[in-house]
């Protein structure tokens, strides 16, 4: 026996096309992410040599773009077709995946609060691994440079973390010109300079640490992130709530449409 909001069971066109409109945005955004990711990979020659994906020990930002693109494209496609064709299987797949992502986000947020030391260690390990691969991938290099410039930081815990990279390592065996230096993104910018000096970090760690303050940022990026988060907690919370509300709205539309379709099918069975 079905409880139904109408006297006669019918599929609401309002919910049907609202869900379609909701998903078409994600579908198109997913296509854009996929196109951007594939273009970036083609520029780096990855499409002609897929071993380059496993050759990078750090994070390839393009992989993240492609994963987001695949998820958004798949969910958008399932939601669009499921709504238009009134396909319960596709709608349940869309709804179930959104619920899973929502619960996963909630679990990550709770674990991040409960196990802060563990999260800090993992972030430190992650950042150090990416420092090792800094020169191996241009996208990763640009990502780290942007992070250091925006947050006025250098390395995971400090400038000495750049010893993890073979080009910046201070060991006597290194033949690199960047030996015992830091990337230019660690340098304190000179307002008088209109052109970025990419060699400003050369040999800086050969000097005493008391002289670093005048040339480079000495604060680690993990410390900078920990200081940034409390100052912007309302922004972070607002973004999380907005994303959660969008997901809950999508779940509501899908579940409502599924109920409509099931009620119509149950009515036609008699």
């Amino acid at each position: 026996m079905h409880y139904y909001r109408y006297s006669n069971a019918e599929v609401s066109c309002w919910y049907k096309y609202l869900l379609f409109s909701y998903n078409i945005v994600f579908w198109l955004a997913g296509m854009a992410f996929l196109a951007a990711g594939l273009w970036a990979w083609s520029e780096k020659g990855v499409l002609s040599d897929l071993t380059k994906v496993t050759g990078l020990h750090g994070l390839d930002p393009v992989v993240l773009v492609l994963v987001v693109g695949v998820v958004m494209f798949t969910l958008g496609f399932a939601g669009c077709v499921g709504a238009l064709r009134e396909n319960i299987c596709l709608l349940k797949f869309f709804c179930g995946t959104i619920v899973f992502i929502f619960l996963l986000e909630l679990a990550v947020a709770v674990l991040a609060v409960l196990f802060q030391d563990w999260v800090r260690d993992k972030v430190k390990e992650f950042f150090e691994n990416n420092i090792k691969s800094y020169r191996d991938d241009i996208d990763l290099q640009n990502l780290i440079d942007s992070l250091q410039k925006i947050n006025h930081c250098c390395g995971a815990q400090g400038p000495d973390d750049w010893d993890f990279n073979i080009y910046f390592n201070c060991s006597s065996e290194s033949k690199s010109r960047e030996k015992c230096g830091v990337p230019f993104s660690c340098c304190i910018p000179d307002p008088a300079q209109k052109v970025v000096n990419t060699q400003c970090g050369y040999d800086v760690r050969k000097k005493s640490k008391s002289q670093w303050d005048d040339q480079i940022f000495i604060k680690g990026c993990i410390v900078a992130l920990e200081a940034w988060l409390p100052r912007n907690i309302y922004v972070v919370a607002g973004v999380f709530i907005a994303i959660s509300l969008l997901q809950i709205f999508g779940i509501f539309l899908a579940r409502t449409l599924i109920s409509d379709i099931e009620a119509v099918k149950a009515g036609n069975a008699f």
Side-chain angles (χ1 to χ4, degrees), residues 213-228:
D213 289 0
D214 298 328
Q215 288 184 263
I216 61 172
F217 304 119
I218 58 172
K219 180 171 59 178
C221 289
I222 293 178
V223 177
L225 182 61
E226 289 175 342
W228 176 88

Side-chain angles (χ1 to χ4, degrees), residues 4-182:
Y4 206 69
R5 60 183 179 279
Y6 304 123
S7 56
N8 296 318
E10 63 181 38
V11 176
S12 171
C13 288
W14 171 253
Y15 287 113
K16 177 177 179 177
Y17 290 107
L18 191 58
L19 182 60
F20 172 78
S21 301
Y22 176 92
N23 279 284
I24 197 70
V25 175
F26 289 96
W27 188 40
L28 293 174
M31 290 178 64
F33 274 104
L34 281 173
L38 292 173
W39 172 81
W41 260 7
S42 67
E43 288 292 303
K44 293 192 291 187
V46 174
L47 295 181
S48 58
D49 184 8
L50 292 176
T51 58
K52 292 182 178 180
V53 178
T54 56
L56 180 66
H57 299 293
L59 169 71
D60 185 350
V62 178
V63 173
L64 184 60
V65 171
L66 285 170
V67 169
V68 172
V70 168
V71 172
M72 292 181 70
F73 180 86
T74 304
L75 287 179
F77 179 80
C80 286
V81 176
L84 285 179
R85 302 296 298 172
E86 299 178 9
N87 187 302
I88 289 180
C89 289
L90 286 176
L91 289 173
K92 285 185 176 180
F93 168 76
F94 167 79
C95 186
T97 306
I98 293 292
V99 169
F100 172 75
I101 293 173
F102 176 75
L103 293 176
L104 188 62
E105 291 169 350
L106 198 59
V108 169
V110 171
L111 290 173
V113 173
L114 295 179
F115 302 99
Q116 294 183 25
D117 292 336
W118 180 84
V119 171
R120 189 181 294 108
D121 290 340
K122 288 299 178 183
V123 171
K124 179 177 178 290
E125 181 182 340
F126 175 76
F127 204 99
E128 288 173 354
N129 286 335
N130 285 293
I131 286 175
K132 294 176 185 177
S133 304
Y134 175 76
R135 288 296 189 205
D136 298 342
D137 183 83
I138 187 64
D139 293 315
L140 175 62
Q141 183 175 305
N142 290 335
L143 181 64
I144 293 176
D145 283 335
S146 298
L147 180 65
Q148 292 189 146
K149 285 191 289 186
I150 291 172
N151 292 286
H152 294 174
C153 59
C154 187
Q157 300 283 6
D160 279 332
D161 286 336
W162 282 100
D163 272 334
F164 289 112
N165 188 280
I166 58 173
Y167 298 99
F168 298 95
N169 192 286
C170 287
S171 67
S172 57
E173 293 82 11
S174 176
K175 303 296 182 182
S176 172
R177 179 62 189 88
E178 296 175 308
K179 173 183 175 181
C180 226
V182 292

Side-chain angles (χ1 to χ4, degrees), residues 200-214:
C200 60
Y202 284 13
D203 303 322
V204 69
R205 289 190 296 123
K206 290 181 179 178
K207 303 175 183 177
S208 63
K209 292 189 176 182
S210 59
Q211 296 177 287
W212 290 4
D213 289 0
D214 298 328

